[in-house]
């Protein structure tokens, strides 16, 4: 199959005179991003998407995102015919364009929830993120963008996105990157769909016990006891999730604000209970008993999370592989836990010659109760335009190796940051 014929946009995109993003404007943006990715050197992207226009998109989206709660509640109204849930996409622009067309574009009757990891590894993270932000600005109550672990300062410095922005926008690159980081901080952590489905990038999270401090008589101080010991770990509540501080560049791996890191980095396990995620160095591992407890307590029927691609799953021999773009990891009395991965033929750049050749997938939820997942799988759009990687994929730390936690705290945040596997 030859490359699709995408007409040349010719004229650079300008910001709408009245500041209102329209469907036609998004179509023009889409055409520019698609055509430029196939026909222009990356550093020429600003000739069609000038930095002032890009910055306006980022600013408008940031304003919308920062007003949303940590956990967005998505009610199923009478106009809604379907909810589409999407997993990691990792800068694979052409696969995202296919997914949007295949599922049907967002509209008053079709709502989208993205589980994060828009950037890094793939070569078009900026284009992918900007396109989805434009949809968010256009339809703020029909497009919901959650945060992934790669929407962080640390990951984007290691896995390509920061370098990508600098290559594409040169002198304006630092300003563009800072605005992207500001958007990352505003991305909500989780969603609840139709009162019965919980979605998040990594998954579940611990309880943070807050008790009055005996040392602070006469003050409003409180003593925060974090459940860091395996024996004392217990699941957190939605109320605790709502109170977590998400506006950090890098979710902390130690201290009192652990819930964001848990939600973005945790993984399911077949072993019972909650335990620290030693492989990643941040977040938790949770078993089917925890999935049952969380579903039953909140009267949910599904947990849809992402975060693990084929390269992560190939090393977790007791869990199903990610060949089809999704797995059902826990099937318990109250419902199911699903891992959803929407980047086919991932990763785009791979040191080994033997590729995983995984399919991508998205989930469609439909009325009346939206609790039955319909899986749609798809192949990667090929051939991909020829382009160089923005990170050293032959030397970068393997996705399953634990990183040096202290070395990651590079002063970008007062909280500390960690990482291991990176999906």
């Amino acid at each position: 199959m030859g490359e699709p014929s995408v007409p040349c946009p010719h004229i650079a995109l300008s910001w709408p005179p009245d500041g209102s993003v329209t469907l036609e404007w998004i179509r023009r943006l889409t055409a520019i991003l698609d055509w430029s990715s196939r026909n222009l050197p990356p550093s020429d992207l600003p000739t069609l998407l000038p930095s002032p226009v890009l910055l306006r998109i980022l600013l408008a989206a940031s304003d919308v995102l920062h007003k949303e709660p940590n956990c967005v509640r998505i009610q199923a109204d009478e106009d809604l015919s379907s909810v589409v849930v999407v997993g990691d996409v990792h800068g694979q622009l052409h696969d995202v364009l296919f997914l949007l067309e295949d599922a049907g574009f967002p509209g008053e009757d079709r709502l989208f929830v993205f589980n994060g990891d828009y950037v890094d590894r793939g070569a078009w993270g900026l284009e992918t993120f900007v396109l989805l932000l434009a949809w968010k600005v256009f339809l703020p109550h029909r497009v919901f963008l959650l945060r992934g672990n790669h929407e962080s300062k640390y990951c984007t410095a290691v896995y390509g996105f920061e370098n990508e922005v600098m290559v594409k926008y040169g002198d304006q690159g630092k300003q563009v990157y800072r605005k992207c980081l500001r958007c990352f901080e505003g991305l909500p952590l989780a969603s609840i769909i139709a009162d019965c489905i919980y979605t998040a990038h990594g998954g579940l999270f611990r309880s943070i016990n807050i008790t009055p401090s005996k040392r602070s008589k006469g003050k409003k101080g409180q003593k925060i006891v974090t459940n860091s010991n395996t024996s004392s770990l217990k699941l957190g509540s939605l109320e605790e999730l709502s109170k977590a501080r998400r506006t950090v560049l890098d979710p902390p791996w130690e201290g009192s604000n652990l819930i964001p890191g848990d939600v973005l980095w945790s993984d399911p396990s077949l072993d019972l209970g909650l335990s620290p995620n030693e492989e990643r160095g941040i977040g938790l591992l949770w078993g089917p008993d925890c999935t049952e407890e969380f579903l039953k307590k909140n009267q949910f029927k599904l947990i849809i999370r992402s975060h693990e691609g084929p390269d992560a799953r190939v090393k977790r021999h007791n869990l199903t592989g990610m060949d089809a773009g999704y797995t059902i990891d826990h099937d318990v009395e109250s419902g199911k836990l699903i891992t959803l991965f929407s980047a086919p033929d991932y990763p785009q750049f791979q040191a080994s010659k033997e590729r995983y050749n995984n399919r991508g997938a998205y989930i469609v939820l439909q009325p009346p109760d939206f609790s039955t997942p319909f899986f749609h799988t798809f192949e990667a759009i090929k051939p991909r335009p020829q382009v160089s990687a923005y990170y050293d994929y032959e030397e970068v730390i393997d996705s399953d190796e634990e990183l040096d936690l202290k070395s990651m705290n590079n002063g970008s945040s007062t909280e500390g940051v960690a990482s291991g596997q990176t999906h």
Side-chain angles (χ1 to χ4, degrees):
M1 183 178 71
E3 290 193 12
S5 177
V6 180
C8 175
H10 294 296
I11 302 171
L13 190 67
S14 58
W15 187 246
D18 62 354
S20 297
V21 171
T22 63
L23 181 57
E24 182 56 35
W25 192 87
I26 289 180
R27 285 175 176 159
R28 284 203 61 213
L29 172 64
T30 303
I32 282 172
L33 298 177
D34 192 5
W35 187 86
S36 63
S37 72
R38 300 176 185 280
N39 297 279
L40 294 181
S43 59
D44 283 357
L45 177 58
T47 63
L48 291 176
L49 181 58
S51 59
V53 178
L54 174 55
L55 291 169
R56 290 292 294 270
I57 300 172
L58 294 170
L59 180 61
S62 181
D63 286 345
V64 174
L65 293 170
H66 279 270
K67 292 174 184 174
E68 293 186 325
N70 286 348
C71 182
V72 291
R73 287 187 174 267
I74 300 165
Q75 299 302 327
D77 57 55
E78 59 185 16
D79 295 328
L80 199 58
S81 63
S82 64
V83 175
V84 180
V85 184
V86 182
D88 299 35
V89 295
H90 280 295
Q92 296 183 192
L93 174 68
H94 311 93
D95 300 319
V96 172
L97 295 179
F98 171 82
L99 187 157
L100 288 169
E101 189 167 347
D102 191 58
F105 294 102
E108 289 306 315
D109 64 337
R110 186 177 295 108
L111 186 150
F112 275 73
V113 177
F114 291 84
N115 264 356
D117 274 16
Y118 313 105
V119 303
D120 279 346
R121 296 189 182 270
W124 303 281
L126 183 59
E127 290 90 337
T128 300
F129 191 46
V130 166
L131 176 62
L132 296 180
L133 289 177
W135 276 106
K136 178 65 181 175
V137 172
F138 176 50
L139 293 172
H141 302 297
R142 285 293 185 258
V143 175
F144 293 91
L145 306 178
L146 306 185
R147 189 172 183 176
N149 64 302
H150 276 266
E151 280 73 59
S152 65
K153 192 174 190 302
Y154 173 73
C155 280
T156 53
V158 174
Y159 293 95
F161 180 68
E162 180 182 13
N163 186 41
E164 175 192 345
V165 173
M166 298 306 295
V167 168
K168 291 175 180 176
Y169 278 87
D171 292 342
Q172 298 297 312
K174 287 186 178 180
Q175 187 179 8
V176 171
Y177 180 60
R178 282 198 300 268
K179 297 297 184 187
C180 287
L181 292 179
R182 179 64 178 157
C183 285
F184 292 170
E185 288 187 315
L187 293 166
L189 300 175
S191 79
I192 297 171
I193 303 168
D195 295 321
C196 64
I197 298 136
Y198 170 85
T199 89
H201 182 71
L204 303 189
F205 51 94
R206 77 192 76 194
S207 175
I208 306 293
N209 294 331
I210 301 179
T211 59
S213 174
K214 296 178 181 179
R215 300 177 185 174
S216 53
K217 290 183 179 180
K219 297 181 181 179
K220 294 183 178 180
Q222 291 178 316
K223 181 180 179 182
I224 299 175
V225 181
T226 61
N227 284 310
S228 55
N229 295 326
T230 304
S231 59
S232 65
L233 282 172
K234 65 177 183 178
L235 282 176
S237 66
L238 295 177
E239 182 181 3
E240 287 177 292
L241 174 60
S242 72
K243 294 177 179 178
R245 187 164 67 89
R246 78 173 190 263
T247 53
V248 290
L249 292 177
D250 294 296
W253 53 274
E254 61 181 3
S256 61
N257 191 33
L258 295 175
I259 287 177
D262 287 349
V263 175
L264 301 186
W265 286 92
S266 294
D267 295 304
S269 169
L270 296 185
D271 296 330
L272 298 180
L274 276 180
S275 62
N277 197 332
E278 303 288 356
E279 199 72 56
R280 294 192 187 273
I282 184 172
L284 304 169
L285 294 173
W286 81 90
D289 56 328
C290 300
T291 291
E292 170 62 24
E293 179 186 339
F294 188 79
L295 291 173
K296 187 173 183 179
K297 178 180 178 181
N298 296 295
Q299 297 184 298
F300 295 159
K301 296 180 180 178
L302 288 177
I303 297 170
I304 303 175
R305 49 89 63 175
S306 300
H307 193 37
E308 290 183 287
D311 54 341
R313 279 298 173 93
V314 77
K315 297 175 182 179
R316 301 189 72 196
H317 302 296
N318 58 344
L319 291 174
T320 307
M322 199 50 65
D323 297 341
Y326 71 93
T327 59
I328 298 173
D329 299 316
H330 296 161
D331 190 348
V332 295
E333 183 178 352
S334 295
K336 293 181 173 66
L337 165 70
I338 296 165
T339 295
L340 178 67
F341 198 77
S342 303
D345 190 25
Y346 173 89
Q348 180 179 351
F349 303 101
Q350 193 172 324
S352 60
K353 291 183 178 179
E354 186 176 345
R355 299 189 64 81
Y356 297 105
N357 291 316
N358 64 293
R359 296 172 71 88
Y362 62 90
I363 288 174
V364 176
L365 307 168
Q366 297 176 324
D369 63 358
F370 293 90
S371 63
T372 301
F374 294 93
F375 299 95
H376 295 254
T377 67
F378 60 98
E379 302 279 359
I381 298 300
K382 293 183 178 178
R384 287 174 172 145
Q386 291 298 308
V387 66
S388 298
Y390 293 103
Y391 69 109
D392 190 345
Y393 59 92
E394 294 185 351
E395 296 296 331
V396 77
I397 294 175
D398 185 81
S399 66
D400 282 314
E401 290 182 20
E402 185 177 343
L403 305 184
D404 180 357
L405 304 186
K406 291 182 180 179
S407 71
M408 297 174 203
N409 190 2
N410 58 10
S412 64
S413 167
T414 57
E415 295 281 355
V417 53
S419 153
Q421 297 173 345
T422 62
H423 303 287

